[in-house]
Amino acid sequence: MPQIQMTLTPSESKRLIGMAVAKLPEVRRAFKNGIVVIGVGTTNAYVAEELLGRKIERERFVAGVVLPKGTYVLPAERRLKEIIIRRGKIIDAKLDDVLPELTSSDVFIKGANGLDSSGTAGVFMAGHRGGTIGRSLGTVMSRGVNLI
């Protein structure tokens, strides 16, 4: 049987992930009828582009990144904030504004930047209060929000 191997660049891989996440049934439902929170991240920038159908400033839609030379945090004043979509439209709100509203019909998209030895995704928590995931995870888990 013939075999095929495909090798993707990091940006091609992120685009493919973005396309897949944007097509998930729970994402499509929340995009149309609820709230979708897209946390900053290099892969999430592609998710945002796929959902919104337009380019965003990917180089600024990041907090911390893992680079060949080590970890790097983009200064807060240079980065974009998370994207919050309510019923298909971006709203001008902060994460802390919508966290209390999230329900099991909504979606919270947070990228990962590591894998442990068993393949479980992980997130570096560099912020003094645990960053985005640190301040959100309790609410997201206790309310059954779809965490992607």
Side-chain angles (χ1 to χ4, degrees), residues 69-86:
K69 293 181 180 182
T71 57
Y72 172 77
V73 176
L74 184 67
E77 63 274 4
R78 291 187 40 215
R79 74 177 81 129
L80 298 174
K81 65 181 181 91
E82 60 275 331
I83 295 173
I84 301 170
I85 302 165
R86 184 188 313 257

Side-chain angles (χ1 to χ4, degrees), residues 2-16:
Q3 294 184 358
I4 297 173
Q5 176 178 331
M6 293 180 65
T7 304
L8 302 174
T9 66
S11 61
E12 290 168 333
S13 299
K14 290 168 192 270
R15 176 64 66 197
L16 189 59

